[in-house]
Amino acid sequence: MCGQLANGCSLFLHPDIISTVEFNHTGELLATGDKGGRVVIFQREPESKTEPFSQGEYNVYSTFQSHEPEFDYLKSLEIEEKINKIRWLPQQNAAHFLLSTNDKTIKLWKVSERDKRPEGYNLKDEEGRIKDISTVTSLQVPVLKPMDLMVEVSPRRVFANAHTYHVNSISVNSDYETYMSADDLRINLWHLDITDRSFNIVDIKPANMEDLTEVITAAEFHPHHCNLFVYSSSKGTLRLCDMREAALCDKHSKLFEEPEDPSARSFFSEIISSVSDVKFSHSGRYLLTRDYLTAKVWDLNMESKPLETYQVHDYLRSKLCSLYENDCIFDKFECAWNGSDSVIMTGAYNNFFRMFDRNTKRDVTLEASRESSKPRAVLKPRRVCAAGGKRRKDDISVDSLDFTKKILHTAWHPTENIIAIAATNNLYIFQDKLNSEMH
């Protein structure tokens, strides 16, 4: 199905936990954010004739501090520096731009290279000090001299004070001029050049907070139609909104909801049905969602039920009580499409991640670990044996899973079979060396 993923490499970052992973639109750059407010950008190495396996390796390109811890004196609340999301803007010139956000503040960063420096100023000496004008007896034309390549990262915009609740999503519009940010109860629309105002396009806050029944968990713009966006809720629903219909999109255009099976209802039903991530397919025709136990593919033309449902770790169904007690049941797993929308990927526990082939309906469980991260090592499929089930050799018992090792954040290269897996404070990058296409 998915071939064999080989050439894994483990890139150890700061001891702080990685909180987001994102490829840029070409896949040449990969950005990670962590709980310490740092952003680390990796750049893909060009193909080497002497080392054919070196292509696809990502090395550190730049590291910078995106957010610092803050304190809200009005509410007596600490604002964490943790990076919740990173989104790249499509490249328009030699520089790259990305948005990063913590719980409250979104920042636009410019990443550029400099390999020349000006020399021969008339009014400055070599150390940059201003000369005494009376000593200047002749004029010279400054020249650019080569220097060692330097990557400069500078903040271009700061979008602040627009969210009362924690920001969980940012998404760049296909018009490349606007983007949206979503918190638990509201979604705001921003222009990338205007920092002092945004437009509220969704507001689900009830007049009385005691009447609150659901919160927004994720939001994303359609990849091709700038007027469409989707947001998911803690009740397991998806709402597709059209900004052409009204300025305030509280009334959705389409509601995607799976009818609940009354016989399967339990104390945990509402918690495990909460959607933790939603992603449009590259084609814009489908939606991929992740809840606690499943990944679902929805057709935009069919609201009544998902087109496909994939069991990510159904063997945990009998463990929900203990997962509730240790708070793991509230973990928010992300999901990703491959470049052709034929395979989906999402994380699980024990540093496992799952891949589902939509065409063949085959699936595989793989592990991101230091043992599998040696160059050109081939990942072996893993299998979890449910409690009381028949165990084969190399099977892992559900009782021996490590719930502290969880893969919440994953990303797939936009065109190639290269994936990035964040496992606590390690970033794993795997490449499919056997198949150029994943069927």
Side-chain angles (χ1 to χ4, degrees), residues 100-112:
S100 64
T101 184
N102 66 351
D103 285 341
K104 300 289 182 186
T105 305
I106 304 143
K107 295 183 181 180
L108 175 66
W109 297 90
K110 179 183 179 182
V111 184
S112 55

Side-chain angles (χ1 to χ4, degrees), residues 188-403:
N188 292 334
L189 180 69
W190 300 84
H191 193 285
L192 284 161
D193 290 333
I194 301 169
T195 59
D196 58 355
R197 67 183 180 274
S198 62
F199 296 97
N200 180 230
I201 53 174
V202 172
D203 188 346
I204 65 167
K205 184 183 177 185
N208 183 354
M209 283 296 275
E210 288 179 7
D211 299 330
L212 183 68
T213 58
E214 64 181 332
V215 294
I216 297 166
T217 54
E220 188 174 66
F221 269 119
H222 191 282
H224 310 303
H225 301 302
C226 61
N227 53 290
L228 295 177
F229 68 93
V230 68
Y231 69 92
S232 58
S233 89
S234 56
K235 275 193 165 179
T237 59
L238 302 172
R239 290 175 174 87
L240 185 74
C241 300
D242 189 339
M243 292 191 291
R244 293 173 302 184
E245 292 180 3
L248 190 63
C249 299
D250 287 353
K251 291 196 173 92
H252 50 266
S253 300
K254 290 190 175 186
L255 174 68
F256 300 85
E257 186 172 20
E258 187 170 23
E260 189 181 34
D261 180 2
S263 63
R265 180 152 184 83
S266 72
F267 172 76
F268 305 109
S269 294
E270 197 166 310
I271 302 170
I272 63 173
S273 67
S274 175
V275 176
S276 54
D277 194 20
V278 59
K279 295 271 170 60
F280 274 103
S281 62
H282 295 85
S283 67
R285 172 71 188 268
Y286 304 103
L287 289 165
L288 171 61
T289 63
R290 174 68 205 267
D291 56 40
Y292 190 65
L293 294 178
T294 66
K296 294 171 182 171
V297 174
W298 300 78
D299 189 325
L300 284 190
N301 297 334
M302 187 169 76
E303 301 162 63
S304 56
K305 61 178 181 178
L307 195 63
E308 302 150 21
T309 300
Y310 301 97
Q311 300 296 332
V312 178
H313 39 207
D314 202 48
Y315 46 78
L316 294 182
R317 208 171 280 278
S318 61
K319 298 274 177 190
L320 292 179
C321 200
S322 57
L323 291 164
Y324 178 76
E325 287 170 3
N326 63 16
D327 282 347
C328 284
I329 202 168
F330 301 106
D331 285 335
K332 292 174 169 52
F333 293 94
E334 294 174 7
C335 50
W337 297 91
N338 73 335
S340 61
D341 299 333
S342 60
V343 182
I344 62 172
M345 172 176 64
T346 190
Y349 292 108
N350 211 65
N351 276 3
F352 289 166
F353 59 97
R354 303 269 281 135
M355 287 183 168
F356 302 92
D357 190 311
R358 298 180 59 215
N359 297 330
T360 65
K361 302 303 177 190
R362 291 170 65 192
D363 64 270
V364 67
T365 301
L366 301 168
E367 182 180 7
S369 65
R370 288 188 174 271
E371 291 72 42
S372 63
S373 66
K374 292 165 187 156
R376 291 182 287 286
V378 176
L379 292 185
K380 292 176 183 167
R382 307 304 301 266
R383 186 173 176 270
V384 178
C385 176
K390 235 184 192 179
R391 241 181 118 175
R392 297 184 210 156
K393 190 189 170 191
D394 295 332
D395 278 6
I396 296 144
S397 164
V398 68
D399 295 317
S400 60
L401 293 175
D402 187 344
F403 292 104

Side-chain angles (χ1 to χ4, degrees), residues 21-82:
V21 186
E22 184 79 3
F23 281 102
N24 75 337
H25 290 72
T26 62
E28 294 304 301
L29 297 177
L30 170 67
T32 67
D34 68 18
K35 280 197 166 182
R38 279 170 303 276
V39 171
V40 181
I41 302 174
F42 298 89
Q43 185 181 47
R44 192 180 185 188
E45 291 299 305
E47 187 172 9
S48 165
K49 289 178 182 175
T50 55
E51 297 178 64
F53 281 101
S54 69
Q55 188 194 16
E57 289 186 3
Y58 285 78
N59 292 319
V60 175
Y61 179 63
S62 180
T63 304
F64 63 96
Q65 189 72 32
S66 172
H67 287 72
E68 302 278 0
E70 296 174 58
F71 192 80
D72 187 331
Y73 292 98
L74 288 174
K75 296 180 181 174
S76 294
L77 283 176
E78 281 189 52
I79 301 169
E80 273 189 309
E81 64 269 41
K82 178 174 84 97

